[in-house]
Each structure stands twice: as structure tokens, then as C-alpha cells.
Amino acid sequence: MAETHAHVMGVTSPSLFSTTWAEIPDGADPIVCIRSSLQPTAEDTAWTIEPMNIPPGRYFARMARPNHQHPGDFPTPFYRGLDFAHEQASASIQIAMLADRLRTCFQVVGPSEPNFGVFGGEFRNILLLAATEVEAQWKGILRANHYQAHLPNPRWSTNDYFKLEAALRLADYAIEFPEYPWIKAIAPFNGWLGANPTESIEWYAAYNAVKHDREQHGNRATLIRALEAVAAVVVVGVAQFGIEFVRRAARWRDLFQINQYPRWSIGDTHGPIFVEGDEFAGEAIDYPF
């Protein structure tokens, strides 16, 4: 919104259209002016007007959201998503490697519910590799947004990582397995609790236990925990880099697909804007943790 008018973002010349431009007289309530300039909908329902929690033309680094013109769509990176290209490629390579290891395991242990409790060394390796990859990406997102841990302990822990759940809405994602349609979709962050961030998601609790004491807890490295951990890597990748992260992944997209994803309010979307007819390419800002 400018000082004398409000206009729709993403429209090259909004003043040419009555539905994309509203005069705001000095001292007037902008919301009232915008409402009065809008035509009633076909159903004669009221328009929803929300504040933009992300300033126009801005975006949070490594956090994909839908475009403001299509708020119900899959999350997408701002503009062309050219930022962090190396990190995107690296994350996809890691998932491809994990997918290959899972497919090798499936030649011995069928990926079906009766076998979900089967444990062994290769499932342990997959669990450890996947969980450490999730942690690496969590750290990368926090760094990209200049997050600082609270003193007196400056080291990041799951208490810090949990703050990414609300920022990315990780619990709202679920992954399905098209090659194995009998496996129910997995939501790896469902039930993640800030009061107990290490133990409240089972794959991460299993990883933590096995990492610290393989002899005592090796039986927690099961097929289902390995599947959940790899699904978590996919979720964190999509939450950062958008749905194209999956669509471009020729090596693993047949094994993992998005079954559920967050529906953001329009106030939490992002997208480019036009200033005097020229597109403003956008600028990253820090997420307010």
C-alpha cells in the first residue's frame, strides 16, 4: 500500500483496473476504502482482508511459501528459486543415495506393515544418515535466517530446531510411496512437541538412542523408522525449496511424492511486486523466530 492508494501486488499497471486499485484519502481507514472499492462476489459474501505477515516483495530465506496469487497451491520458492542452488542439489543427491539404499533393502525385506519392526545394520545406517541430513538442513535454514541460540548455551539443540516447525509447518506434510501404494502416507513430523522435541517424534528418538548406544538400542533401527527418517528429509527439502524440488528429482521422485502439504493464509504467502511497471526481484529477510 502506498501513501495515497492501495493496489494489488503482481499487476503491472493496477491503476488501470477498478478491482486492483483503491484510493485512500488522507485520514481514511484503508480497510474501509478497500472494502468499498471491491465488487460483491457472486455468492454475495464478504471479502477476506488480511495483513501481510511477509512484506511485499520480501521472503524468508530457505522457506518456501505459495505465491500470493495462488495461496492454495504447493509452496514454491520466491521468484525463480535461484538462491541456495548448491544446497538444493546437495540435498537431492542425499535423498537419491538414501532411496537407493532403501530399494536395496526392499529386495531382502518387503516394505509392508508386517515387516515394519524388522531391524538391522543397514536400516540403522539409513536412519543415522537421514537424521543427520535433516539436522544439517535445519542448521542451514537457521543460519540463512541469522538465528542465534539463547545464552548461556549457544549450541543449537532440538529446542532450537523445533522453532522451524511453525516457520515451515513441517507437521502438515505427508509423504506417500507410489511404487508401494499399500504403505500408508507418512507424516514424519506429526506430533512434534516443543515440550519434548527429541522424544516426541519416534524416528528422531530412535536415531538419538541408536547414535549414543548401538548395543543397547540397535533394535530401534527398524524399517519403519528408516522410512520415516528419509521421508523427513524429503519434507524438509520441499518446505525449503518448494514442490519443484521433487519434480526435478529424476532419481528419486518415483519413490517419494507429496501426499499432504500446508495450506497457508494469504497473509503468509510471498511473491514479486511491480513498482512503476518494473518487477521488483525481491529481497530475503530473516524469519522472526
Side-chain angles (χ1 to χ4, degrees), residues 47-62:
W47 288 85
T48 299
I49 300 177
E50 298 181 16
M52 295 298 293
N53 297 323
I54 305 176
R58 305 296 192 273
Y59 62 98
F60 301 130
R62 295 183 72 161

Side-chain angles (χ1 to χ4, degrees), residues 72-95:
D73 285 0
F74 280 108
T76 58
F78 187 91
Y79 205 45
R80 297 188 182 93
L82 301 179
D83 293 346
F84 302 100
H86 176 80
E87 288 80 1
Q88 292 186 53
S90 178
S92 188
I93 289 168
Q94 295 301 310
I95 296 173

Side-chain angles (χ1 to χ4, degrees), residues 221-234:
T222 60
L223 185 160
I224 188 60
R225 300 296 167 246
L227 271 178
E228 291 169 345
V230 180
V233 184
V234 177

Side-chain angles (χ1 to χ4, degrees), residues 13-267:
S13 300
S15 59
L16 299 180
F17 308 96
S18 61
T19 57
T20 58
W21 177 277
E23 291 285 351
I24 312 294
D26 186 38
D29 185 335
I31 300 299
V32 173
C33 294
I34 294 170
R35 284 190 183 279
S36 64
S37 69
L38 295 170
Q39 297 296 321
T41 62
E43 297 81 11
D44 198 28
T45 57
W47 288 85
T48 299
I49 300 177
E50 298 181 16
M52 295 298 293
N53 297 323
I54 305 176
R58 305 296 192 273
Y59 62 98
F60 301 130
R62 295 183 72 161
M63 296 186 184
R65 299 286 179 87
N67 186 281
H68 56 240
Q69 294 186 350
H70 306 280
D73 285 0
F74 280 108
T76 58
F78 187 91
Y79 205 45
R80 297 188 182 93
L82 301 179
D83 293 346
F84 302 100
H86 176 80
E87 288 80 1
Q88 292 186 53
S90 178
S92 188
I93 289 168
Q94 295 301 310
I95 296 173
M97 178 270 294
L98 292 165
D100 290 344
R101 298 185 81 142
L102 279 174
R103 286 190 171 108
T104 299
C105 288
F106 294 164
Q107 295 176 24
V108 180
V109 180
S112 59
E113 192 166 351
N115 294 332
F116 280 175
V118 173
F119 63 92
E122 186 59 5
F123 291 137
R124 176 177 63 87
N125 293 337
I126 293 171
L127 174 63
L128 293 174
L129 288 169
T132 53
E133 178 62 21
V134 170
E135 288 182 334
Q137 294 190 40
W138 281 341
K139 292 173 182 176
I141 301 167
L142 292 174
R143 278 195 300 268
N145 287 273
H146 303 96
Y147 174 82
Q148 298 293 324
H150 295 295
L151 297 175
N153 182 11
R155 291 186 60 188
W156 293 341
S157 69
T158 47
N159 292 312
D160 302 290
Y161 302 147
F162 179 76
K163 295 177 182 180
L164 292 171
E165 201 293 307
L168 298 168
R169 291 181 56 181
L170 298 174
D172 292 343
Y173 285 93
I175 302 298
E176 61 185 3
F177 306 87
E179 293 182 351
Y180 308 97
W182 55 86
I183 301 178
K184 295 180 181 178
I186 290 176
F189 293 98
N190 185 38
W192 200 10
L193 301 175
N196 193 8
T198 299
E199 297 294 323
S200 54
I201 41 179
E202 293 188 65
W203 62 269
Y204 193 83
Y207 151 72
N208 197 53
V210 172
K211 175 180 67 172
H212 289 294
D213 195 337
R214 174 189 57 81
E215 289 189 356
Q216 287 292 314
H217 302 293
N219 61 348
R220 297 181 66 174
T222 60
L223 185 160
I224 188 60
R225 300 296 167 246
L227 271 178
E228 291 169 345
V230 180
V233 184
V234 177
V235 165
V236 175
V238 174
Q240 293 176 81
F241 307 124
I243 190 61
E244 290 300 319
F245 179 71
V246 177
R247 292 173 177 166
R248 289 194 298 261
R251 284 184 58 191
W252 55 264
R253 66 186 176 207
D254 291 338
L255 186 57
F256 309 109
Q257 288 290 313
I258 304 300
N259 176 269
Q260 297 176 21
Y261 60 95
R263 270 31 176 210
W264 295 92
S265 70
I266 194 169

